[in-house]
Amino acid sequence: MTAASIPDKPALEGLEQKWGSSWESAGTYRFERDGATRECIYSIDTPPPTASGSLHIGHVFSYTHTDVIARYQRMTGKRVFYPMGWDDNGLPTERRVQNYYGVRCDPTLPYDADFTPPFEGGDNKSTKAADQIPISRRNFIELCERLTVEDEQQFEAVWRALGLSVDWTQSYRTIGDESITASQLAFLRNLDRGEAYQAMAPTLWDITFRTAVAQAELEDKEQPGTYRRLSFHRLDGGTIEIETTRPELLPACVALVAHPDDERFKPLFGTTVTTPVFGVEVPVLAHHLAQPDKGAGIAMVCTFGDITDIVWWRELDLPNRAILGFDGRVISEAPEAITSEAGLEAYAQLAGKTVFSAKQTVVDLLAASGDLIGEPKQITHPVKFFEKGDKPLEIVSTRQWYIRNGARDEQLRGRLLELGSELEWHPDFMRVRYENWVGGLSGDWLISRQRFFGVPIPLWYPLDADGNPVYDQPIAPDHAALPVDPSSDAAPGYDESQRGVPGGFMGEVDVMDTWATSSLTPQLAGGWERDPELWDLVFPYSLRPQGQDIIRTWLFSTMLRSVLEYDRKPWEHASVSGFIVDPDRKKMSKSKGNVVTPAAMLEQHGSDAVRYWAASSRLGTDAAFDPQNPTQIKIGRRLAIKVLNASKFILGFTGREDAPVTEAVDLAMLSVLRKTVADASSALAGYDHARALELTEAFFWTFCDDYLELVKERAYGEESPEQASAVAALRIALSTLLRLFAPFIPFAAEEAWSWTHDGSVHRASWPTDEEFAGLAAGEPQVLQLASEALTGIRRAKTDAKASQKTPVDSAVIAGPAASIELLALVADDLRAVGRIESLEFRTADVLSVGDIVFAPAADAEEARA
């Protein structure tokens, strides 16, 4: 890059394209690996956005926060490792492909090499699953690959327009071969150490996606419900009444539970009662989780109505009488405990029905038997949903893979909490969210998913002589053979002809939860096990930036995998951004339909303006955004334009840049700037980017509105030590300000810097205190007093309805003696900028400007006495 000529009319338009291509060709943000040591590297475990659909304003918000820190660290001399990943496997991608192409996956179908999807280029969101064309798994995955690549290209274009200083040579995809290899290798090591295991257990299940859901993916939604009171029959002829919102699960009832201290039910503990309609004898038991003040004070335990049912089932050692299938319908086979003819006939009326239909059927049966008591009570209550699902979750019994996460291991839980306390959190209060999550874990991490576009679980199972899988003897591949897909690759020691036959093998068909891959982003980006030199340079990473909503998923799971593999935390710092909320303070999200997409906004206002808006918010703080009136963005645009215009104005003064700075107000300005540099640097080092921007901007506007106006006459003047002092101070200030602004408004800063420098401002050194060491000490109060006096002169002219250029015969500035003594040092500048012939100073209690006598003017209306 060579110094460019200063344009006649500096503008923001076109700077993104101009400097984006320049930075790319020059390798401005390239990670310099040769000769690097761990001490000189700042590594960032960048969030890989889900490559499905489009980015939204929240992405721009949080990624700008990260980029500001990356740019600051680079300018302080660090070699910044700043990769970008794409999280392209998982449910969001599958759903988008289904809607986008009008297809659905049917693994039983053969591959069609000539398949053409019925739709392309439209969302097709109204298409029902029944109307979508079924295609083979391989065809489906090919469409997933095609669409994610297209989405990633669009995402990258937005990131480049935003000016992210990412090294694009360090990118990765969570579904690429290297990522699959790393994910499978980490899983196999978990398996070898006993941290991964398979179990048949109650599983939170999304009936729409037909897949298991982990605890971290749950979302409570308030839903309407109905409490119905029904009676169970005691052996002595009496009854116990319970209230439930799920009467349809009555045939799955295994016990009644009350609190051990509840005097109403203490006499009944250890006895049995019979369920209405279905006639099954169940025990009455005590457990501390029962709530005496809820419903009738005694709960019906079913397998499984909610998570508490799972706890009771496990801790009270109850039988499993699950009646719901993977499709959310009642299974055809009645539980073995239902033996009476009447009970079996009642169950037959439920078989095959949805939960909704079965509920009404059971209510009708209860009413007919006389066991439905009183009128129903309408309520609203929190119901568990998959965070990406549309229907309430059910709980079914399935065989799934888990990774131990500390829920049942106090030592592991303690280590996770210990390392969480060692991690530097920004802001610090976000640490509590992590600790609360770890402390509240109720089960191990379920990582298997019954989906298609994901990392295959790398296992096979031998089949016995009858063709039944032997699940407790899984066959693992050699690590050197990774990546593998057991659904298409033969098991080690077998050939494809032995798949699915007695004495042969079957491949695992489940894939890993997308977080099981995303939890390894440090490994994926850092070359774990494939590039040991790079790994040793970047790990543990300097920073994990992310949103607050995924502390329980991404941050926790990454910490867990690091503890299991290395027994250490994966980063030194964690920075957590807040949410973007709409004008009604509601979180912006795709599901709420209030998301603003950033591409048009960047084009309309300019990237620097949008970055300014994002950087003005502190970490952990929610920011309101009104697309109809983006006030903060407009302020940012005004700032960026002012930086260009002020730079052009300053560079129009001629003089020696290395001339000594001698004048009091020049030294005062530089003294204030010196403190601004120190304070802004301290703020950025402490991850308070908003404070650094606030300090820099406050100085800049004072600099432009007061100091620059105050000294411009002198800077324009004849060559002299005083004129040279002004020009030198202005040039020092401009160089410093452009570097202070560079992380926030990189395009405007680079444009102005290029007018006098051959290299990029983003490769320039961050301003330091040492740069001011050779200057004489200035009295900061001089600048403040001069600004106040200048304001007074302007106000006096305005009050007199005179132009600021109106000549003044004489004026008086009054103030305390100490202030007057300092103001006398800038008398010449005040006279020049105020067009004042004679300026008198007097002592007084308060600083003021008065006794102005205007000189005769050619325009009589402009002169005032």
Side-chain angles (χ1 to χ4, degrees), residues 18 142 151 172 192 218 304 317 361 420 452 524 569 578 640 730 771 794 799 864:
K18 173 183 177 180
E142 285 179 355
D151 286 342
Y172 63 90
D192 292 342
L218 300 182
F304 297 93
D317 195 24
T361 299
F452 315 110
L524 304 185
K569 63 181 185 292
L730 286 166
E771 296 179 24
R794 290 169 172 165
D799 291 344
R864 294 290 185 271

Side-chain angles (χ1 to χ4, degrees), residues 32-106:
E32 298 174 353
R33 180 171 169 176
D34 292 344
T37 62
R38 183 66 188 88
E39 291 68 32
C40 74
I41 288 174
Y42 187 87
S43 49
I44 304 174
D45 183 15
T46 322
T50 300
S52 176
S54 60
L55 294 169
H56 60 76
I57 191 64
H59 289 105
V60 167
F61 181 70
S62 59
Y63 281 72
T64 297
H65 297 167
T66 306
D67 191 61
V68 168
I69 296 300
R71 289 179 177 279
Y72 162 72
Q73 291 289 345
R74 191 179 290 110
M75 294 177 72
T76 63
K78 291 288 188 179
R79 300 192 185 191
V80 176
F81 180 71
Y82 188 10
M84 178 60 71
W86 307 113
D87 190 5
D88 34 23
N89 71 64
L91 287 171
T93 298
E94 290 189 22
R95 171 181 267 186
R96 176 159 157 74
V97 166
Q98 288 170 351
N99 292 332
Y100 192 89
Y101 292 113
V103 299
R104 58 183 173 85
C105 182
D106 183 346

Side-chain angles (χ1 to χ4, degrees), residues 606-624:
S607 297
D608 281 348
V610 175
R611 288 175 64 101
Y612 170 88
W613 158 76
S616 297
S617 292
R618 285 177 168 78
L619 290 171
T621 302
D622 294 346

